[in-house]
């Protein structure tokens, strides 16, 4: 549902330039009475097809005239959808499945049936046409840990297919672009207080206006404190500030805009937990209460241990912690009657980022165990010879369940420099109006990835207590400490990696309007990629040999030996795209587009060739990297767009083929640690997407979309020591975590004073892994949002309520990715991540 008016469209038209985003000041300054008057006078349904699209183009056109698939969402849509996380916003877009079970950040985004382990692997996340990070795959952190939405976002544009995806950072799968409000001639803004169940409090504000002649500003930010949505004793707390300062050329031929952002935030991230194996509902813990999470705030000194580099103390209690920001300069200049224009962007960002990840089991057993089964599974004898005590005091009751689990401290600082420059030319040849773009993009990103895995033992409960275990030899009487202050395996895994990527791209495109009915776009892109890799070799070190009664897992720490494998990779790839649109009438368009493009393999997936026989493991020389080549994607789309007074709709057929894909999966290594497994795959998908906006009554609309898709493996090889090993059993299987059906549907009422929305998102059945052995049933998440606007002079106050997951479904959104094809059914427990529980939020929003 899009609530954009003619004034907003006119403002955008006046500021059209390649990725130069005009403000929606007219909308921001309207009073409730003016809004109601406009709505009453409106004859046509307001929909996506009437919105000017400016992402990745120098010919700003309404979506109806654009030969590619486009989805937009205005600020009201973003507020209604994004209560839980950004994933809920992206889930509303056709062809996208986004998992939000982990909480506010690190959404797992899947698009068009492409094989992904999650994050934003095929879809760059941009704000104001500027990529949050120029290269994905330096580590596995998702883009949304660095940058968040606020009330200063004017709208979202998601474009996929066609020439637009060749510009800037590029991605033929699609571009996610949030566009900020910028200042204008009059002061205005919005302030909001949000209160939700389980002690969530958030203050959000956005203001904009003039600073002087031709100088304008916009400033926005939020502070949030949250103890939910699941109680863990770990708090979510932090803030973000963003802003822009725009100087408009006196002759109105362009502008220069300075953007800035700073964030300091800590967020709890939820992983899969043991569920009831028969029903896959939440399982009861030792206290009889259903277990929602196995997180707790543990004293880091209890789970610390010695290393060759000194004592290690975990920072897992900080969750997903990000501190840092970015600064960017954007400019565009139109040279009048010459038809020439120039625009560009430069951005630098630097973030100190740590991703504390609670895992889903110990990597060996992975489910809760009785006291005896804990001993039996580890060859430790009988409970008659073992002591189980809680850390602090008290014996563990005999009938209790224990859960051995892990967490990973992941230190991931990063910095990124991007630059983009475009020369544009408008010219006419005969009846053809050309919009030519010759441009280039540069990206230079570096990220560390230091990982330490710790295994601990606790009871199976919400906010569990840690457990000690001591085993006595019945013959000698000697005692062995199996779990000390809850520590079960010190340093179960370690990695110290540094990855850098440098990208150089050039592109040329011509977007043509031929007469009044026909649009044709064509473009090419060539890009070179350089990557640098540094990975510390690991070894096992006896860190506490003076205490002989410790188990080997507490004495032998996997740690680095200061020897590094280093290497470089590089490759060059090209893309070509074309799109055509024919207007059957002023309200009906037929379109088609096709492209051949590429992705660069994630550099974290690049392996090293084995060391030569007889070479010392700590040798300074590296054996060299494995081969590195682009992943090739070919796709096509054909569809129809209709925009009528009482309804609008689109229908499109899709086809995608991806080859030479290096799929990276984060899986158990079989020894209690984790590893990044790489598969060399090819996939093929096809499907249909459709959207419908329908005016039912004067103030009541229906809005929905449907995606039907089929995605299959066409090649599957597991890389072992960089040698492909075919797995023909996977060929023809469905891609994991990719449903065949997705849909959104909702009713939306707005009379200018009272607004109410009741909408649902459905995700169909999907498999947890590539062997298709375990299927997750489809699920609906139903949400409700309503509010009433109270006029206060020329301003207004909206009193609102939002209910996420109205029916409190606990459907499973994913299995245990760490177990991959080893996950099974039929046991007492099934490890999976359910939908976040229902949450009611109240809002007071003051528009001024």
């Amino acid at each position: 549902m899009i609530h954009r008016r003619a004034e907003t469209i006119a403002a955008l038209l006046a500021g059209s330039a390649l990725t130069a985003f005009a403000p929606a000041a007219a909308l921001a300054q309207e009073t409730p009475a003016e809004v109601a008057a406009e709505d009453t006078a409106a004859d046509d349904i307001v929909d996506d097809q009437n919105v000017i699209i400016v992402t990745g183009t120098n010919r700003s056109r309404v979506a109806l005239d654009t030969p590619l698939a486009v989805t937009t969402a205005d600020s009201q849509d973003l507020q209604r959808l994004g209560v839980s996380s950004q994933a809920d916003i992206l889930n509303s877009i056709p062809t996208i499945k986004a998992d939000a079970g982990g909480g506010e950040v690190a959404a797992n985004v899947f698009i068009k049936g492409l094989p992904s382990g999650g994050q934003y692997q095929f879809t760059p996340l941009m704000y104001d046409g500027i990529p949050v990070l120029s290269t994905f795959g330096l580590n596995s952190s998702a883009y949304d840990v660095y940058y968040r939405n606020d009330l200063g976002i004017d709208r979202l544009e998601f474009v996929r297919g066609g020439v637009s995806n060749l510009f800037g950072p590029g991605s033929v799968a699609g571009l996610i672009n949030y566009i900020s409000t910028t200042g204008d001639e009059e002061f205005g803004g919005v302030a909001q207080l949000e209160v939700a169940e389980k002690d969530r409090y958030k203050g959000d504000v956005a203001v904009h206006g003039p600073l002087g002649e031709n100088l304008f500003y916009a400033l926005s930010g939020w502070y949030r404190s949250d103890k939910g949505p699941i109680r863990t004793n770990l708090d979510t707390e932090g803030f973000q500030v963003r802003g822009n300062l725009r100087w408009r050329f006196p002759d109105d031929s362009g502008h220069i805009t300075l953007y800035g952002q700073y964030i300091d935030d800590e967020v709890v991230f939820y992983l899969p937990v043991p569920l009831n194996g028969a029903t896959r509902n939440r399982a009861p813990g030792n206290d009889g209460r259903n277990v929602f999470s196995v997180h707790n705030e543990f004293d880091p000194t209890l789970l610390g241990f010695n290393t060759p580099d000194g004592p290690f103390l975990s920072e897992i209690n900080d969750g997903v912690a990000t501190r840092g920001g970015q600064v960017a300069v954007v400019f565009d200049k139109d040279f009048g009657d010459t038809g020439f224009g120039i625009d560009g962007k430069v951005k630098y960002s630097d973030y100190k980022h740590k991703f504390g990840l609670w895992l889903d089991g110990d990597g060996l057993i992975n489910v809760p165990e009785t006291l005896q089964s804990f001993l039996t599974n580890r060859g430790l004898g009988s409970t008659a010879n073992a002591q189980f005590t809680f850390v602090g005091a008290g014996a563990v009751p005999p009938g209790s369940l224990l859960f051995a689990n892990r967490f990973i401290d992941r230190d991931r600082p990063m910095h990124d420099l991007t630059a983009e420059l475009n020369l544009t030319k408008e010219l006419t040849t005969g009846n053809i109006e050309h919009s030519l773009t010759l441009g280039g993009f540069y990206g230079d990103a570096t990220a560390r990835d230091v990982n330490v895995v710790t295994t601990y033992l606790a009871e199976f409960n919400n906010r569990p207590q840690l457990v000690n275990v001591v085993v006595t030899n019945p013959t000698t009487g000697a005692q062995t400490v199996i779990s000390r202050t809850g520590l079960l395996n010190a340093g179960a895994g370690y990695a110290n990696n540094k990855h850098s990527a440098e990208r150089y791209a050039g592109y040329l495109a011509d977007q043509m309007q031929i007469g009044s009915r026909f649009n044709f776009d064509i473009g090419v892109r060539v890009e070179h990629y350089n990557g640098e890799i540094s990975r510390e070799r690991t070894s096992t070190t006896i860190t506490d040999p003076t205490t002989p009664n410790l188990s080997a897992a507490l004495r032998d720490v996997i740690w680095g030996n200061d020897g590094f494998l280093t290497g470089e990779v590089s490759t060059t790839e090209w893309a070509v795209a074309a799109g055509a649109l024919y207007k059957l009438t002023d309200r009906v368009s037929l379109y088609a587009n096709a492209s051949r493009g590429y992705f660069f393999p994630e550099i974290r997936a690049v392996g090293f060739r084995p060391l030569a026989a007889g070479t010392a493991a700590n040798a300074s020389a590296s054996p060299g990297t494995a081969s590195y080549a682009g992943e090739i994607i070919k796709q096509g789309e054909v569809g129809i767009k209709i925009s009528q007074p009482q309804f609008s709709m689109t229908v499109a057929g899709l086809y995608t083929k991806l080859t030479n894909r290096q799929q990276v999966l984060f899986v158990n290594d079989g020894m209690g640690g984790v590893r990044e497994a790489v598969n060399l795959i090819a996939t093929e998908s096809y499907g249909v997407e459709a959207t419908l906006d329908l005016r039912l009554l004067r103030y009541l609309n229906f809005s929905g979309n449907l995606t039907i898709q089929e995605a299959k493996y066409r090649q599957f090889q597991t890389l072992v020591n960089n040698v492909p090993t075919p797995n023909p059993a996977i060929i023809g299987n469905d891609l994991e975590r990719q449903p065949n059906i997705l849909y959104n549907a909702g009713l939306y009422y707005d009379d200018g004073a009272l607004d109410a929305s009741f909408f649902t998102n459905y995700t169909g059945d999907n498999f947890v892994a590539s062997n298709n052995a375990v299927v997750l049933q489809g699920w609906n998440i139903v949400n409700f949002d309503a509010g009433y606007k109270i006029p206060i002079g020329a301003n207004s106050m909206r009193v609102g309520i939002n209910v996420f997951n109205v029916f409190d479904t606990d459907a499973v959104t994913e299995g245990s990715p760490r177990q991959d094809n080893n996950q099974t059914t039929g046991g007492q427990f099934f490890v999976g991540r359910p939908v976040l529980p229902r949450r009611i939020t109240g809002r007071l929003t003051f528009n001024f």
Side-chain angles (χ1 to χ4, degrees):
M1 263 310 286
I2 303 303
H3 303 275
R4 188 166 304 283
R5 299 175 174 83
E7 287 83 353
T8 306
I9 296 174
L12 289 169
L13 283 170
S16 62
L18 178 64
T19 58
F21 307 118
L27 178 59
Q29 296 165 4
E30 290 173 320
T31 67
E34 291 170 334
V35 171
E38 286 179 356
D39 287 343
T40 301
D43 292 324
D44 288 8
I45 185 170
V46 185
D47 66 273
D48 278 4
Q49 303 310 313
N50 291 322
V51 177
I52 300 292
I53 302 302
V54 296
T55 298
T57 178
N58 73 326
R59 177 181 285 276
S60 298
R61 298 183 281 209
V62 295
L64 185 67
D65 296 342
T66 304
L68 48 82
V70 174
T71 301
T72 65
D74 68 8
S75 58
Q76 183 176 341
D77 299 321
L78 298 177
Q79 278 288 97
R80 179 171 51 238
L81 292 167
V83 174
S84 175
S85 76
Q86 186 169 160
D88 297 314
I89 297 172
L90 300 178
N91 254 332
S92 69
I93 298 173
T95 73
I96 285 185
K97 170 184 178 273
D99 291 340
E104 286 190 26
V105 299
N108 288 322
V109 180
F110 305 86
I111 179 171
K112 286 187 174 181
L114 291 171
S116 171
Q119 299 89 40
Y120 294 75
Q121 294 185 9
F122 296 105
T123 49
L125 178 62
M126 303 192 301
Y127 285 81
D128 301 298
I130 302 164
V132 172
L133 183 59
S134 62
T135 301
F136 184 80
L138 305 180
N139 54 47
S140 61
S141 285
Y143 297 140
D144 59 12
V145 302
Y146 307 111
Y147 213 112
R148 314 288 170 72
N149 293 351
D150 58 26
L151 292 179
I153 300 295
D154 176 61
R155 68 190 186 278
L156 163 68
E157 293 184 357
F158 180 66
V159 297
R160 48 204 183 274
V163 170
S164 292
N165 295 318
L166 301 179
F167 296 121
S171 173
V172 291
L175 299 171
I176 301 169
N177 188 23
Y178 288 95
I179 301 171
S180 299
T181 298
T182 56
D184 212 320
E185 304 292 345
E186 296 185 17
F187 173 77
V190 58
Q192 180 172 277
L193 175 63
E194 182 177 291
V195 179
E197 295 176 289
K198 297 183 176 65
D199 299 320
R200 176 180 171 87
Y201 305 95
K202 184 179 183 183
D204 211 332
V205 65
V207 294
H208 58 86
L211 279 178
E213 187 175 1
N214 298 318
L215 185 63
F216 309 92
Y217 77 95
L219 185 66
S220 58
W222 50 259
Y223 170 81
R224 179 259 294 107
S225 176
D226 192 352
K227 296 184 182 299
I230 297 173
R231 295 282 192 185
T232 62
N233 289 334
L234 301 171
D235 294 348
T236 287
E237 185 175 14
F239 71 92
Q240 176 183 269
V241 178
R242 298 190 315 122
N244 60 74
L245 188 65
R246 171 168 292 187
W247 184 72
R248 187 183 300 162
F249 295 134
D251 61 358
D252 206 28
S253 62
H255 55 75
I256 299 174
T257 307
L258 174 68
Y259 290 93
Q261 176 248 5
Y262 183 82
I263 187 171
D264 188 349
D265 195 39
E266 294 180 0
V267 185
V268 177
F269 186 73
Y270 307 102
L271 264 290
V273 295
L275 306 173
N276 184 298
T279 65
R280 297 187 188 171
N281 296 325
R282 298 187 187 275
N286 294 328
D287 59 6
R289 299 178 179 178
N290 288 342
V291 174
F292 284 78
S293 167
V294 293
H295 296 28
N296 201 355
E297 183 179 14
F298 295 134
D299 182 348
T301 62
L302 296 178
L303 298 178
F305 50 88
N306 294 322
T307 77
D309 297 327
F312 173 77
L313 294 179
S314 171
E315 296 181 346
I316 189 65
N317 292 338
D318 294 341
V320 183
T322 304
R323 185 176 70 253
Q326 69 164 240
V327 61
V329 176
V330 176
F331 70 92
D332 76 274
K333 173 69 175 177
D334 179 9
F335 294 102
D337 294 339
T338 67
F340 281 100
I342 190 170
D343 64 82
K345 307 177 183 72
V346 178
K347 178 216 75 175
Y348 179 78
S349 59
D350 190 297
Y351 296 95
K352 308 304 179 187
H353 167 57
K354 296 182 179 181
F355 200 122
L357 185 71
W358 299 80
L359 289 179
D360 39 6
D362 63 352
L364 300 170
I365 308 301
N366 301 312
V367 295
E369 305 166 84
T370 64
L371 306 189
Q372 182 58 63
S373 63
F374 174 85
L375 298 173
T376 301
N377 289 334
R378 292 158 182 81
L380 297 174
S382 167
T383 55
N385 301 309
Q387 293 177 303
F388 294 85
T389 58
F390 291 116
V391 173
V396 177
S400 298
L401 291 175
L402 304 178
F403 185 50
N405 198 14
R406 296 164 295 172
F407 55 74
I408 310 180
D409 286 86
R410 305 195 291 187
D411 190 6
R412 293 175 165 181
M414 79 85 162
H415 60 82
D416 186 30
L417 172 68
T418 64
E420 180 183 342
L421 183 65
N422 301 287
L423 177 66
T424 62
K425 172 66 174 176
E426 304 281 340
L427 61 89
T428 301
T429 59
N431 71 332
I432 304 176
E433 297 179 9
H434 299 266
S435 294
L436 296 166
T437 301
L438 175 63
F441 176 81
Y442 174 78
D444 185 3
T446 298
R448 294 287 302 276
D449 192 9
V450 181
N451 293 247
V452 178
V453 182
T454 302
T455 307
Y456 67 94
L457 182 64
E459 60 178 338
F460 183 56
N461 267 337
N462 294 295
R463 302 180 294 280
Q465 298 183 73
L466 295 172
V467 172
N468 296 314
V469 181
V470 178
V471 173
T472 302
N473 187 306
T475 303
T476 66
Q479 291 187 325
T480 302
V481 178
I482 304 301
S483 172
R484 179 179 62 180
T485 62
L487 183 63
L488 193 61
N489 191 343
Y494 174 82
N496 180 6
N497 302 327
K498 179 181 178 181
H499 298 131
S500 299
E502 195 172 21
R503 299 171 55 191
Y504 308 83
Y507 42 86
L508 175 65
D510 187 4
Q511 297 172 281
M512 294 167 272
Q513 182 173 326
I514 305 171
S516 61
R517 294 291 183 189
F518 190 60
N519 294 333
F520 182 70
D521 298 348
I522 189 167
V524 296
R525 178 185 178 106
V526 178
E527 183 169 359
H528 183 71
Y529 179 101
N530 288 325
E532 295 183 357
I533 305 167
S534 175
R535 297 177 188 158
E536 188 175 8
R537 296 184 175 95
T538 59
S539 60
T540 301
T541 304
I542 307 299
T543 61
D544 197 356
T546 62
T547 310
N549 66 328
L550 294 179
S551 69
L554 295 179
R555 291 186 291 110
D556 301 349
V557 176
I558 300 175
W559 209 255
N561 62 7
D562 296 325
F564 284 82
L565 290 171
T566 60
E568 297 183 1
V569 295
S570 65
T571 191
T572 300
E573 272 300 344
W574 59 274
V576 60
L581 180 140
Y582 180 73
K583 300 188 68 172
L584 293 175
T585 71
D586 289 341
R587 292 182 175 274
V588 181
S589 300
L590 300 175
Y591 75 97
N593 62 70
S595 61
R596 185 272 191 197
Y598 59 87
F599 302 102
F600 294 117
E602 297 178 51
I603 195 169
R604 66 188 177 108
V606 177
F608 285 89
R609 293 190 292 270
L611 287 168
T615 304
N618 61 353
S620 59
S622 293
T625 60
S627 61
Y628 190 82
E631 304 166 351
I632 307 305
I633 180 173
K634 298 177 182 178
Q635 59 183 4
E637 179 178 2
V638 58
I640 185 172
K641 303 180 180 183
I642 302 172
S643 180
Q644 295 293 335
Q646 296 299 313
F647 74 94
S648 73
M649 64 178 294
T650 66
V651 179
L654 314 169
Y655 174 79
T656 303
K657 183 178 182 180
L658 180 64
T659 57
N660 199 42
R661 170 69 175 172
Q662 292 193 37
Q663 179 191 55
V664 187
L665 302 178
F666 191 55
V667 300
N668 294 326
D669 65 3
M671 298 177 290
V674 290
R675 65 185 180 91
E676 291 180 330
V678 181
N679 301 316
L680 184 62
I681 64 173
T683 65
E684 188 175 32
S685 64
Y686 50 89
V688 176
E689 71 166 74
T691 67
L692 174 65
D693 287 277
L694 175 66
R695 185 183 295 281
L696 300 174
L697 299 171
R698 189 170 190 83
Y699 303 118
L700 180 64
N701 292 338
F702 167 86
S703 182
N705 59 64
L706 171 69
T707 301
I708 301 174
Q709 61 184 8
E710 186 80 15
K712 299 287 188 181
Y713 281 106
R714 299 306 184 200
Q715 177 188 354
F716 196 99
Q717 297 176 314
T718 301
L719 295 183
V720 179
N721 293 325
N722 299 303
V723 177
T725 302
N727 189 343
I730 305 297
I731 307 303
N733 282 1
D734 287 356
L735 268 64
E736 65 270 27
R737 305 174 74 175
Q738 299 277 6
N740 294 121
I741 299 177
L742 297 163
Y743 72 71
N744 291 273
L747 294 173
Y748 303 86
Y749 177 89
D750 191 347
D751 63 13
L754 175 67
D755 66 89
S757 308
F758 189 77
F759 51 99
T760 184
N761 168 262
Y762 176 76
T763 301
D765 296 356
N766 59 99
F767 294 103
V768 303
S770 59
N771 62 2
N772 289 186
V774 180
V775 63
L776 300 179
Q777 299 299 314
W779 69 89
N780 265 300
I781 300 178
V782 178
N783 300 309
F784 174 76
D785 188 272
Y788 186 78
K789 290 180 182 177
I790 303 170
I792 305 176
N795 308 313
S796 70
M797 174 74 77
R798 179 182 184 268
V799 181
I801 185 173
N802 183 282
V803 184
F804 170 78
N805 193 3
V806 172
F807 300 114
D808 202 22
T809 178
D810 61 354
V812 182
T813 64
E814 69 173 26
S816 173
R818 261 59 59 190
Q819 296 185 45
D820 192 30
N821 283 333
N822 294 318
Q823 190 161 18
T824 60
T825 60
Q828 181 182 359
F829 296 97
F830 178 84
V831 179
R833 182 162 66 181
V835 175
L836 292 175
R838 178 174 53 220
R839 201 174 205 188
I840 301 174
T841 301
R843 286 172 167 170
L844 287 177
T845 308
F846 181 61
N847 290 278
F848 52 91

